[in-house]
Amino acid sequence: MSAGEDRDEAFIEAYPALFLRASQAAFRVTGDAGVAEELAQETMIRAYTRWSRLDDRRVGWVVTTAVRLAIDRWRREQRRPRRVVSDPIPELDAVAAQRVDLVRSLAALPRRQREVAVLRYLEDQPEREVAQMLGCSVGSVKRHAARASAALRAALEPPAPITEAP
Amino acid sequence: MFDHLDNPNPRLPTEGGARAALAEGRRRVRRRRVVVGGGTAAAALVALGIVGTLVLPGGSDQEQVVVDEGDGRTTSLPRGGIVGEWTPVAYSAVVVGQLNQLLSLRADGTLLAHDGCNDLTSTWREEDGHLVLTSDPVVTTAACPPGFDDRELHRILISEPRIDVWDGDPATLELRSGDDWIAFGRTDGTKPESGERAVWDIDPDNPPSSESSTFTALVTGVSCNNGITDEVLRPGVDPGEATIVITFNVALPSSGAAFCPGNPPERYQVDLGEPIGDRRLVDGGCEPTDIASTSFCAEGPVRWRPPTEAGAFDPEASTVCPESISSLRLSGGTLVAAYDTTYVGLEEVLGEEDTMTNPPAPDTPVSLCWYEGASFVPPPEMGEPSVVDAVSWYVDRLPVGAASTTRDPHRPGG
């Protein structure tokens, strides 16, 4: 069997698990199953083109790439001109609103912080795993995670309740 | 933490989906095999397991034969596939120091490479699907900082290794040797023809306007060359959202030792291919290089500003920067801000890719500015312009990044 065939077989074998991780990560950001699957498929195509280089970083690469594609898509939609309508804007439910806050706060993070935040908090991976996936030190993960965590907490925590003055 | 955002009914992936991804991935990938060098040296290196990879640009109109890695098939490689100039865009390892590497495969059979310190010259030809260096490489012997002789480009070419060709991304060229690799991008029109770096200025007698798509540059070679600016080579023109960066090189001096009386400028008509619009014209020769700190670039790299800019909002004027930007320096890959205890990793300032491919020289002036209400250049990762509102980074007075924050903009130390 040639190296190319080996590569293809390895890709086919790894595809289901990686696709699920990618689509789940994308869904957490977009909330749209169809879009998430579309982004996961694009992620997997890109993964194939650099398969031999990903080695043991495949899960980390696939998850962060899927989220990055989801954020890119959100940014494009934000820039799209919108028609002004007089109808009242429907209120978002709490989960949808949190998704908007999440993608907005992730989009605002520097890339490395965002990658760490996605793997550490969105994917609940331990620091050591994140370091391995991203090819950096645990200390670097801690540093980026602390900053990302502060930014995410500030963006996602509900506002403090208003109390009446005595 | 975000489990409640999960899809409760995810659709399981199918084998058809995997096959479709593989087919599309294959379409984007074309593998080829090329051998650089030949004879016993290459055979010995192959025996030692030193194998390289070249990633070639795609191109449906060219004759390209897919060769799977390891199956032994080789086919005729269209010469046009790799003719051209290539500059590194990524490395397998973090490369410290200023990089100005280049690989030029010319149609006349000349191979030129610059490893950041020395030049390497050879000839090449296509032979039975192989790229063969047809003459021993001639290498200049300048005294280089430690590490240059061990760089990927230098090592791979000098070693005459067996090199595979792998196309994973159009317009990308990759040299691979074991775990080390160096990826190139085509210079196309954005990089200058290789030579000695030069600086330029606007011809004061013939300044451009916003409608101009050409202008006259006065180009000056900065190397000691007995008071002569050698032939001005094709400039690199890199149009961006807010700037057009034009970078000039001049022909290499014909002799070694030279006096340094200062070189006169030569006129060169630059064709931008599109109107300048409201963008600044920037001298790429003043971007982080050893020239940047010299008198040639004392006034900064911006050579022309659009007239509309004077009356428009000027983000630089509205920034809240430390009084002295010299208090901020790059030191050992860390940006040290003197006004507080902020320590920022270099990759956060420049972006990881930029840090690898175009790291500023140590001790490059860097400013970190807070500003309010400004529409500004986005961080490179964002790709397109957008409004950000908190902090921006400059290297050598050029904005290289910006980010918003959840906090209100504040004055440093305030």
Side-chain angles (χ1 to χ4, degrees):
Chain A
M1 182 180 288
S2 75
E5 287 167 342
D6 282 344
R7 181 191 63 244
D8 290 358
E9 192 171 294
F11 177 81
I12 295 284
E13 190 178 332
Y15 177 91
L18 291 176
F19 179 91
L20 268 183
R21 297 292 292 267
S23 65
Q24 194 71 301
F27 184 87
R28 285 179 171 182
V29 174
T30 64
D32 184 317
V35 170
E37 286 175 12
E38 184 186 318
L39 296 175
Q41 185 71 347
E42 174 61 24
T43 300
M44 291 307 298
I45 292 167
R46 295 187 186 195
Y48 178 82
T49 66
R50 65 202 73 203
W51 191 249
S52 59
R53 282 191 256 169
L54 294 180
D55 299 326
D56 57 350
R57 299 183 297 113
R58 283 167 188 158
V59 171
W61 188 90
V62 158
V63 167
T64 53
T65 298
V67 171
R68 180 168 61 80
L69 290 175
I71 290 172
D72 288 346
R73 185 187 182 93
W74 174 79
R75 282 186 175 129
R76 282 197 300 274
E77 288 175 355
Q78 293 299 110
R79 283 193 290 270
R80 192 176 298 159
R82 294 176 185 179
R83 197 156 52 95
V84 177
V85 295
S86 55
D87 295 339
I89 299 170
E91 287 190 12
L92 295 173
D93 65 45
V95 172
Q98 194 173 17
R99 276 206 175 86
V100 171
D101 289 341
L102 174 64
V103 68
R104 186 173 287 145
S105 48
L106 282 175
L109 293 177
R111 187 175 70 179
R112 202 56 155 177
Q113 278 187 39
R114 186 171 66 234
E115 289 173 348
V116 169
V118 166
L119 294 171
R120 183 76 184 90
Y121 302 122
L122 210 59
E123 291 287 301
D124 277 335
Q125 295 292 320
E127 287 169 344
R128 189 166 296 280
E129 292 288 316
V130 175
Q132 189 180 357
M133 288 174 182
L134 296 179
C136 62
S137 67
V138 174
S140 179
V141 169
K142 286 178 187 288
R143 187 161 56 91
H144 289 303
R147 293 176 184 172
S149 170
L152 289 176
R153 197 179 300 118
L156 299 176
E157 274 184 355
I162 300 171
T163 54
E164 289 184 12
Chain B
M1 186 175 179
F2 295 102
D3 289 351
H4 61 293
L5 299 180
D6 278 349
N7 182 357
N9 300 304
R11 194 164 64 90
L12 295 177
T14 62
E15 185 171 338
R19 297 279 173 200
L22 191 147
E24 175 60 17
R26 274 182 180 158
R27 196 185 66 77
R28 297 183 192 183
V29 174
R30 290 179 179 83
R31 287 180 179 271
R32 301 182 195 85
R33 167 159 298 174
V34 171
V35 174
V36 169
T40 55
L45 287 162
V46 171
L48 291 170
I50 301 173
V51 179
T53 300
L54 273 171
V55 180
L56 293 185
S60 57
D61 56 343
Q62 296 177 343
E63 180 195 352
Q64 295 178 344
V65 180
V66 175
V67 181
D68 279 335
E69 188 178 55
D71 68 359
R73 281 187 296 145
T74 56
T75 55
S76 178
L77 175 75
R79 181 165 223 178
I82 54 174
V83 164
E85 285 199 343
W86 303 89
T87 47
V89 294
Y91 298 84
S92 54
V94 173
V95 180
V96 178
Q98 177 59 43
L99 284 176
N100 183 24
Q101 297 192 340
L102 186 124
L103 175 65
S104 177
L105 298 169
R106 295 187 172 175
D108 65 1
T110 307
L111 181 150
L112 300 172
H114 181 70
D115 68 2
C117 178
N118 276 302
D119 296 310
L120 182 148
T121 310
S122 184
T123 53
W124 68 281
R125 62 183 165 85
E126 178 199 350
E127 185 179 273
D128 190 24
H130 296 154
L131 177 69
V132 179
L133 296 190
T134 53
S135 60
D136 289 337
V138 176
V139 187
T140 56
T141 55
C144 306
F148 270 83
D149 289 343
D150 194 34
R151 288 213 165 140
E152 291 93 339
L153 179 60
H154 188 99
R155 187 179 61 248
I156 289 172
L157 291 175
I158 289 295
S159 299
E160 294 185 318
R162 184 180 178 85
I163 294 183
D164 284 345
V165 177
W166 187 82
D167 180 12
D169 193 7
T172 304
L173 177 81
E174 184 173 305
L175 298 172
R176 182 177 284 271
S177 176
D179 291 334
D180 292 336
W181 51 267
I182 177 170
F184 296 83
R186 262 195 196 280
T187 57
D188 291 326
T190 64
K191 304 290 183 188
E193 191 175 348
S194 56
E196 287 277 306
R197 186 58 69 89
V199 293
W200 63 272
D201 210 340
I202 295 290
D203 180 358
D205 297 330
N206 190 19
S209 68
S210 293
E211 291 74 35
S212 302
S213 57
T214 63
F215 72 95
T216 303
L218 302 179
V219 183
T220 305
V222 296
S223 297
C224 294
N225 196 31
N226 298 322
I228 299 170
T229 290
D230 271 310
E231 177 193 0
V232 178
L233 303 173
R234 174 188 59 76
V237 177
D238 189 6
E241 294 290 339
T243 60
I244 302 175
V245 180
I246 298 110
T247 309
F248 274 101
N249 284 333
V250 294
L252 297 168
S254 53
S255 60
F259 295 107
C260 306
N263 305 325
E266 293 287 331
R267 280 186 160 75
Y268 190 97
Q269 186 77 5
V270 180
D271 186 355
L272 300 172
E274 58 189 29
I276 298 171
D278 59 356
R279 294 171 290 184
R280 298 174 182 183
L281 299 182
V282 172
D283 184 355
C286 288
E287 289 191 321
T289 68
D290 52 349
I291 302 174
S293 58
T294 68
S295 60
F296 294 108
C297 301
E299 299 300 317
V302 178
R303 298 291 180 243
W304 183 86
R305 297 168 195 270
T308 53
E309 198 174 271
F313 174 75
D314 183 355
E316 282 191 49
S318 302
T319 53
V320 185
C321 293
E323 285 185 8
S324 169
I325 64 167
S326 62
S327 63
L328 295 168
R329 315 296 290 186
L330 285 173
S331 175
T334 299
L335 173 65
V336 181
Y339 51 81
D340 65 12
T341 56
T342 301
Y343 288 81
V344 183
L346 189 56
E347 74 277 8
E348 290 178 42
V349 177
L350 299 177
E352 190 176 54
E353 289 178 5
D354 286 352
T355 307
M356 292 174 67
T357 58
N358 193 25
D363 217 30
T364 298
V366 173
S367 56
L368 186 65
C369 307
W370 280 255
Y371 59 96
E372 298 173 85
S375 171
F376 211 74
V377 178
E381 62 179 320
M382 293 174 67
E384 295 182 42
S386 64
V387 176
V388 292
D389 62 2
V391 62
S392 60
W393 301 288
Y394 300 77
V395 172
D396 273 353
R397 302 177 192 173
L398 276 178
V400 294
S404 59
T405 174
T406 53
R407 297 179 183 176
D408 292 331
H410 63 283
R411 193 174 288 274

